[in-house]
């Protein structure tokens, strides 16, 4: 999933970027409110991590304008202000969650993870597709009760497909949400990742199906549509 971090502290930018990327997320950075608003409006993010105190344009002004223009990404506000009026102001501006500085990195990651689940219309921690069971809270994957070891990026790709199970997901969508690159070579990266997942998800019937010219679909029962 693609995350936007709008934070002017270089140190905190590095900490958040490192932690989010280690968790498998694609991360874009903005150091001021104007750049943050431009990125938020021109890209499709699952979550925006937004500091309130920013140069050029403050976080609440950014958020208000973003929502006014139809922005739908879930927003986690970061602030040093810990009063009820401050929190109410942020939530009324359109924030989905609120985290007070200083905070534990583990808590921020948990809140981002929860907002990502909401981005796909689900609050459930467990996703079951046939023999496949994904625990999004523990980030664990089991097939027929057997624990499957995945890299962070493989896990996010599988969860993305599982949350859209039964729906064809194009390579372009996977590139945008799971990988931070573009170009023809990216299709090879996606194909390789899908191949790796198929090898690890050993089931009686295949779970990930290729739709020629369209993309991939994860479903328990193979479709009558021919696969590549």
């Amino acid at each position: 999933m693609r995350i936007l971090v709008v934070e002017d502290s270089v140190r905190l930018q590095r900490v958040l970027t490192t932690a989010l990327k280690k968790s498998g997320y694609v991360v874009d950075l903005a150091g001021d409110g104007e750049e943050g608003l431009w990125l938020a409006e021109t890209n499709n993010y699952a979550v925006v991590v937004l500091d309130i105190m920013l140069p050029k344009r403050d976080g609440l002004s950014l958020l208000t304008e973003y929502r006014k223009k139809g922005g739908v990404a879930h927003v986690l506000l970061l602030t040093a202000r810990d009063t009820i009026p401050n929190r109410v102001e942020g939530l009324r501006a359109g924030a989905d969650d609120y985290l007070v500085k200083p905070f534990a990195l583990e808590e921020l990651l948990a809140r981002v993870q929860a907002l990502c689940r909401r981005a796909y219309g689900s609050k459930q921690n467990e996703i079951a597709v046939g023999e496949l069971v994904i625990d999004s809270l523990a980030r664990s994957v089991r097939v027929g009760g057997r624990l499957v070891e995945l890299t962070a990026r493989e896990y996010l790709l599988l969860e993305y497909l599982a949350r859209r199970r039964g729906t064809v997901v194009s390579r372009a969508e996977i590139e945008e949400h799971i990988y931070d690159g573009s170009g023809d070579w990216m299709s090879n990266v996606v194909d390789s990742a899908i191949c790796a997942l198929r090898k690890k998800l050993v089931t009686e019937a295949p779970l990930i199906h290729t739709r020629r010219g369209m993309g991939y679909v994860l479903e328990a029962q193979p479709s009558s549509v021919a696969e590549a």
Side-chain angles (χ1 to χ4, degrees), residues 80-225:
R81 301 171 178 173
D82 188 21
T83 67
I84 291 176
N86 290 144
R87 277 179 270 179
V88 169
E89 185 181 18
L91 294 171
R92 283 179 174 169
D96 298 278
D97 202 355
Y98 200 102
L99 192 56
V100 177
K101 298 178 180 179
F103 52 81
L105 194 56
E106 292 80 4
E107 182 178 4
L108 180 137
L109 292 173
R111 288 174 183 264
V112 167
Q113 190 177 3
L115 290 176
C116 282
R117 289 197 301 272
R118 289 172 60 184
Y120 294 105
S122 174
K123 295 182 180 179
Q124 296 180 343
N125 294 326
E126 189 175 283
I127 310 168
V129 184
E131 299 177 60
L132 171 69
V133 178
I134 300 172
D135 184 335
S136 63
L137 193 61
R139 285 201 163 192
S140 66
V141 174
R142 293 182 180 274
V143 173
R146 174 181 60 88
L147 185 65
V148 179
E149 295 292 336
L150 299 177
T151 66
R153 189 60 56 82
E154 287 172 346
Y155 171 81
L156 282 179
L157 172 57
L158 179 61
E159 184 184 342
Y160 183 58
L161 292 173
R163 291 201 180 277
R164 300 187 61 186
R165 56 192 177 278
T167 301
V168 177
V169 181
S170 69
R171 285 183 177 86
E173 289 176 286
I174 294 173
E175 291 167 13
E176 180 181 6
H177 288 275
I178 308 299
Y179 297 96
D180 50 358
S182 60
D184 294 339
W185 65 273
M186 282 301 300
S187 293
N188 295 328
V189 173
V190 172
D191 292 343
S192 296
I194 292 291
C195 182
L197 278 179
R198 281 173 169 157
K199 288 179 180 178
K200 293 182 178 183
L201 302 177
V202 181
T203 57
E204 290 186 9
L207 289 170
I208 302 175
H209 312 279
T210 302
R211 297 292 177 258
R212 290 192 183 97
M214 295 185 288
Y216 301 98
V217 59
L218 188 147
E219 54 188 356
Q221 296 298 323
S223 170
S224 59
V225 178

Side-chain angles (χ1 to χ4, degrees), residues 26-55:
V26 175
V27 182
D28 291 341
L29 281 174
D32 62 67
E34 288 184 1
E35 182 185 17
L37 180 60
W38 179 79
L39 285 172
E41 290 177 342
T42 54
N43 294 278
N44 185 14
Y45 295 105
V47 174
V48 177
V49 179
L50 176 63
D51 190 16
I52 288 183
M53 300 300 292
L54 293 168

